[in-house]
Amino acid sequence: MGFPLPPPMRRALDLAAEAAEAGEVPVGAVITRAGAIVAEGRNAMRAGHDPTAHAEMVALRAAAAALGTSRLDDCTLWVSLEPCAMCAGAIALARIEALRFAAEDVKGGAVVNGPRLFGQPTCHHRPDVLGGIGEEEAAEQLRRFFLDRR
């Protein structure tokens, strides 16, 4: 039996489940500051006809609006899936202090897989990264979602 999930990751996984119920790929994201939730998002690409409406992007936009700044340097992003290149780039530009994610994304991830964006010399900001938090649940959500569509 493992440790209980930190509340922000629990919320990110719940948002991922909501995304799946809405027919979106199950990914959820939460942004915290000083331990409090500032913003959240879930995948909304199909509903919004917006290819950039990944959970992370939705949460980053909401946090920037809520805090009145594009610099989120004292915030942590909790996401149920390793961010893609677009989202990793936005995380760096937002100056997110820490990134916590559940499942790795071997095909589309850009943090510990693929281009490993934060390790590139052209990346000017590197958040503290920790993956695997709630990995089993997140991976099961994704497996179930794609299995149901085949």
Side-chain angles (χ1 to χ4, degrees):
M1 186 172 256
F3 294 101
L5 289 175
M9 186 58 80
R10 173 76 267 145
R11 180 64 184 142
L13 290 165
D14 291 345
L15 288 163
E18 289 177 19
E21 289 172 18
E24 302 277 357
V25 174
V27 181
V30 169
I31 295 179
T32 58
R33 181 180 184 198
I37 293 176
V38 174
E40 56 185 41
R42 62 177 177 81
N43 272 0
M45 295 171 294
R46 289 179 177 213
H49 309 291
D50 179 357
T52 71
H54 291 197
E56 301 94 312
M57 300 296 284
V58 173
L60 286 167
R61 289 177 186 132
L67 297 174
T69 181
S70 62
R71 295 278 177 120
L72 306 175
D73 48 13
D74 55 353
C75 295
T76 298
L77 172 61
W78 303 78
V79 62
S80 62
L81 184 65
E82 176 186 354
C84 70
M86 174 185 69
C87 293
I91 290 164
L93 291 171
R95 305 292 197 263
I96 288 285
E97 180 178 325
L99 168 64
R100 305 293 181 250
F101 68 87
E104 286 188 22
D105 185 352
V106 177
K107 287 184 176 181
V111 176
V112 297
N113 289 288
R116 297 181 178 153
L117 189 97
F118 301 133
Q120 298 300 317
T122 54
C123 184
H124 301 296
H125 175 77
R126 293 160 182 81
D128 178 64
V129 176
L130 180 62
I133 305 166
E135 180 175 18
E136 290 178 22
E137 183 176 342
E140 180 57 28
Q141 284 179 336
L142 289 158
R143 271 191 296 275
R144 201 170 37 242
F145 178 83
F146 288 111
L147 186 63
D148 289 349
R149 274 142 190 82
R150 289 186 182 134

